[in-house]
Structures are given as structure tokens and as C-alpha cells.
């Protein structure tokens, strides 16, 4: 069973920066994609950024030029990061880490979620 643990959330002033981390543990045959989603109060969960294995990252229009997603160089660590710069109050949300992959060579792709970390942008 794969487990995802996020860290790095908190309270920051507008214009500030935060870096989120998500570490995956457990057995998985191959990872196809890792990414970040967010959910603000009263809104649906939305994609922030994804970084498929061997493919360039994609970003929501609302965060392009401000957020950077990356994965650890050591694939065994299976860690994904989200560097968030020039934060705005509208970035306030719970941020969730997502991993998509195959538990075994014969498995279909399965999605896993972290427990979420709160990011609050306020003066």
C-alpha cells in the first residue's frame, strides 16, 4: 500500500513563498505521474500541477509563472515538491499530493492521495 505524506504548508503573507513536499512510501512497481491539487472552501478540488514520468510538467493557468513542480533526482525517494512563489490570497486552500502508478507489473494504474496540507495566504 502506498502512503503519501505532505509537509510544508502554513500561513504566509501575500507575495511570500512556501515549498510543499510529498514523500511516497510503500511498494509500487512504477510511477506514471505525481502532482498537486488543491481545494478551497466551498469549491471543487482542482489541478495545480503535474509532472508525469519522463514528460514536462503542466500547470494550471492560475499558477503558471509562480509555481514550480519538481521530483527528487533519486527516483527511489519518490518525492514531489511544489515551490510556490508570489502567493496570493486566492491560493489559500488545502493542497493534496497525488501519485498515479501501477502497484505491480500486471496492475492497472491506481491513484493515491495524501492527507492534505493547509496553505493560507493572508496579511
Amino acid at each position: 500500500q502506498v502512503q503519501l505524506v505532505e509537509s510544508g504548508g502554513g500561513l504566509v503573507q501575500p507575495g511570500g513563498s512556501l515549498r510543499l513536499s510529498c514523500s511516497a512510501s510503500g511498494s509500487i512497481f512504477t510511477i506514471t505521474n505525481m502532482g498537486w491539487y488543491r481545494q478551497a472552501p466551498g469549491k471543487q478540488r482542482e489541478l495545480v500541477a503535474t509532472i508525469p514520468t519522463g514528460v514536462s510538467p503542466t500547470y494550471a493557468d492560475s499558477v503558471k509563472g509562480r509555481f514550480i513542480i519538481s521530483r527528487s533526482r533519486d527516483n527511489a525517494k519518490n518525492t514531489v515538491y511544489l515551490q510556490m512563489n508570489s502567493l496570493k490570497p486566492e491560493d489559500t486552500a488545502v493542497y493534496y499530493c497525488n501519485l498515479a502508478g501501477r502497484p505491480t507489473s500486471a496492475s492497472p494504474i491506481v491513484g493515491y492521495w495524501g492527507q492534505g496540507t493547509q496553505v493560507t495566504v493572508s496579511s
Side-chain angles (χ1 to χ4, degrees):
Q1 182 71 12
V2 173
Q3 290 188 325
L4 303 176
V5 178
E6 300 117 333
S7 60
L11 172 65
V12 64
Q13 292 186 341
S17 298
L18 282 176
R19 187 187 193 219
L20 305 183
S21 300
C22 172
S23 295
S25 62
S27 177
I28 190 161
F29 177 72
T30 186
I31 295 173
T32 56
N33 199 357
M34 296 186 79
W36 291 93
Y37 291 71
R38 68 186 181 187
Q39 187 167 17
K43 295 187 177 181
Q44 291 187 335
R45 190 172 298 188
E46 63 176 3
L47 171 70
V48 176
T50 63
I51 184 166
T53 300
V55 179
S56 298
T58 61
Y59 298 90
D61 288 342
S62 59
V63 307
K64 281 181 181 176
R66 299 188 297 121
F67 291 9
I68 300 173
I69 188 171
S70 62
R71 285 171 62 173
S72 60
R73 294 180 179 272
D74 182 351
N75 290 330
K77 291 185 178 180
N78 295 327
T79 302
V80 63
Y81 306 95
L82 186 68
Q83 177 66 44
M84 304 185 294
N85 302 317
S86 301
L87 282 161
K88 304 175 181 180
E90 50 263 43
D91 294 318
T92 296
V94 177
Y95 284 69
Y96 296 92
C97 175
N98 175 266
L99 181 154
R102 300 181 189 277
T104 70
S105 61
S107 303
I109 294 175
V110 177
Y112 302 90
W113 292 95
Q115 81 286 355
T117 184
Q118 177 70 45
V119 172
T120 303
V121 185
S122 175
S123 55

